[in-house]
Every structure is written in structure tokens, then in C-alpha cells.
Amino acid sequence: MEPRVAELKQKIEDTLCPFGFEVYPFQVAWYNELLPPAFHLPLPGPTLAFLVLSTPAMFDRALKPFLQSSHLQLLTDPVDQCVAYHLNRVRESLPEMQIEVIADYEVHHNRRPKILAQTAAHVAGAAYYYQRQDVEADPWGTQRISGVCIHPRFGGWFAIRGVVLLPGIEVPDLPPTKPHDCVPTRADRIALLEGFNFHWRDWTYRDAVTPQERYSEEQKAYFSTPPSQRLALLGLTQPSENPSSPSPDLPFTRLTSKKPQNPSKARGWLSPSVSPPASPGP
């Protein structure tokens, strides 16, 4: 790896990895070459970018301390806001550089995704993007089959969170890193894609490879809960629902708690003793 890329990667890893994230460099050209022009990133091909994904550890190391913080932004999606907070810290760690961050959920005004996260993960060598085209003589006829990324160490127990673009930093000699093909047989690829498309709620497709770590039971409960009910699951309420909440004109408002249906369970979610003590809060 080029010394400049290695140095920047190390700085970003120092910012993100203690909180359960992983970082992978790639060239914008590698991404654009696989997609039609409508999905291209509007930067020169050799521009340096980094793919950011979260591992199972992110839940304890980043999300819980974020929720425990004494002051939080008005919450709509705690995970997205937690990730945005940490990606913004990348900007702060490299103040002399122009940095653009695209989160995995961002879309243009016409609802077209700003980044196709699984394609980015594949070209960065982070996770193999298994698609229908990877199955010879597939058995699905006219059925729509969506693809899925599998991580060589975490299987499907991870999430792609976004990309960090560095306009003006060009690395034409950066060697590509191929993703590890950890589901090489036709039968296993069929099982993976069928599990992801037809039985995703049972989580089993995520075990396409034996993972080093899976989501905890409380993490699975959180992500299985509809987004509109997740704050209630945490035993939290929006500050706007509390008559004594601070003025909405303030940039930060204090998160308040409400009495949950299962108080002992809610305390477990937010108790510092549950989260690793070595993980500092934001």
C-alpha cells in the first residue's frame, strides 16, 4: 500500500476502529467502472475513498455510549445518528483536508441512492457481493433476486455504513484488493441468496460462513424492532414529548427517559456496566 494511503488509513482507523468500525481504501474508478453513469461518483477515477462498515462490536462500543451521553441531538434513528457522529469525527481528525462523507442511506432528490454500498464494499475488498449472476444456471426463473455482501470474518453480521471521499487526493498506483470469495460453491450461493431473499427474518443467511462474532441477542432484538418502535424498546422518549424539554432552538437537547414496560431490560440497554468500560463515550 502506498505510504500516503497507509498514513490516511491509519488516521481514520484510529478514529473509528476503537468503536467497532472497519475501514478499506479504494479508487473511485473501481466503483464507477461497475456501474452505469447515473450512479457514478462525480470525481476523477484515481480519487481516494474509504469504505466504512460496522462490526457486531459497534453496538456496545459506539451506540450504547452515544445513548448514554448527557446531551444528544433530537433522536430519529439512533444508529444512523451515532454513525453520522463518528463519521463527522473523521472530518475533525483531518481538518486540513477536503472530505466528503456519504452515508449508506443517503439519496438524491429523485430517490436514487447516492452510493451503492454493496458495490463499494466489493471493490474495496471488504466483503464479497454475491449476486444472481454469480450462480451458474440459477433456479429462480422470473423471480427477482437481490444480492448480498458476505464478510470473510463476520459473515452477514455486519453493516455497510458509508464512504469517505477525499477529493484532490489521487492514488493511481493503489493496487486493487479483491474481496475474499468465502461462499465459493454453487449450492452454498443458492442457499445464501434464497436465505437472504426469502427467509431474512430468521437471520440464518448471515451464517453463510462461520462468523468470528455475531450480533448479541439484544442487538438482534433492536434491529428486529420496527424503527418507529425502537426508542420505546430502549425505554426512551423524544425530548419534544416532554413539557420540560429545552428549547428546540438549541442545537442539542437532553434525551429523557420514560418508564418502560420492562424496566430491568431497559436499564440493561443503557447501563455502563453492559458496555465495555474501555470504550469512551462521545
Side-chain angles (χ1 to χ4, degrees):
M1 186 180 298
E2 295 182 22
R4 190 180 195 188
V5 176
E7 179 183 359
L8 289 169
K9 181 174 183 284
Q10 186 63 58
K11 287 185 177 180
I12 297 174
E13 286 181 336
D14 289 345
T15 301
L16 294 179
C17 289
F19 296 92
F21 298 94
E22 290 186 345
V23 177
Y24 298 82
F26 67 98
Q27 283 186 33
V28 164
W30 305 345
Y31 174 86
N32 286 350
E33 287 168 0
L34 295 182
L35 298 170
F39 292 95
H40 285 186
L41 294 170
L43 292 168
T47 300
L48 178 62
F50 290 92
L51 184 284
V52 178
L53 61 81
S54 62
T55 72
M58 185 276 289
F59 198 78
D60 280 341
R61 295 182 183 177
L63 181 63
K64 286 182 179 179
F66 183 79
L67 292 174
Q68 293 161 8
S69 179
S70 60
H71 290 79
L72 296 174
Q73 293 178 331
L74 184 65
L75 288 178
T76 54
D77 187 306
V79 171
D80 286 348
Q81 289 170 272
C82 173
V83 171
Y85 168 83
H86 283 281
L87 291 178
N88 189 59
R89 292 179 63 241
V90 174
R91 287 194 181 96
E92 295 171 354
S93 70
L94 298 167
E96 73 285 359
M97 304 189 67
Q98 181 184 355
I99 293 177
E100 296 179 15
V101 175
I102 304 177
D104 69 295
Y105 54 82
E106 290 189 65
V107 295
H108 294 285
H109 66 278
N110 61 0
R111 309 304 296 170
R112 186 175 68 245
K114 289 188 176 182
I115 188 77
L116 295 182
Q118 296 198 106
T119 299
H122 187 92
V123 301
Y128 200 106
Y129 184 22
Y130 291 97
Q131 303 177 73
R132 183 172 186 164
Q133 67 195 38
D134 296 310
V135 177
E136 183 179 355
D138 76 68
W140 300 300
T142 60
Q143 286 181 293
R144 178 185 173 89
I145 300 294
S146 297
V148 61
C149 274
I150 295 295
H151 190 287
R153 289 186 293 112
F154 299 113
W157 303 96
F158 77 104
I160 304 162
R161 297 302 179 183
V163 298
V164 176
L165 304 170
L166 281 73
I169 304 297
E170 298 188 3
V171 287
D173 297 324
L174 180 67
T177 302
K178 290 185 178 181
H180 179 59
D181 183 2
C182 47
V183 187
T185 71
R186 178 179 181 271
D188 287 344
R189 291 180 179 184
I190 289 174
L192 167 64
L193 291 173
E194 290 188 346
F196 176 68
N197 281 271
F198 309 132
H199 311 291
W200 57 270
R201 287 185 178 87
D202 67 11
W203 305 90
T204 55
Y205 81 88
R206 298 176 185 264
D207 287 331
V209 300
T210 302
Q212 290 184 3
E213 186 178 0
R214 295 179 176 90
Y215 289 173
S216 64
E217 289 304 313
E218 63 179 4
Q219 191 169 175
K220 289 166 67 175
Y222 180 86
F223 288 117
S224 296
T225 300
S228 62
Q229 300 173 26
R230 288 175 179 174
L231 290 180
L233 178 69
L234 298 173
L236 303 172
T237 185
Q238 294 285 16
S240 59
E241 297 174 6
N242 190 316
S244 62
S245 61
S247 166
D249 295 331
L250 295 176
F252 292 93
T253 53
R254 186 176 296 276
L255 184 71
T256 57
S257 298
K258 66 180 179 181
K259 186 176 180 181
Q261 293 180 341
N262 187 339
S264 62
K265 181 177 181 180
R267 281 197 298 270
W269 284 83
L270 300 182
S271 170
S273 65
V274 175
S275 299
S279 301

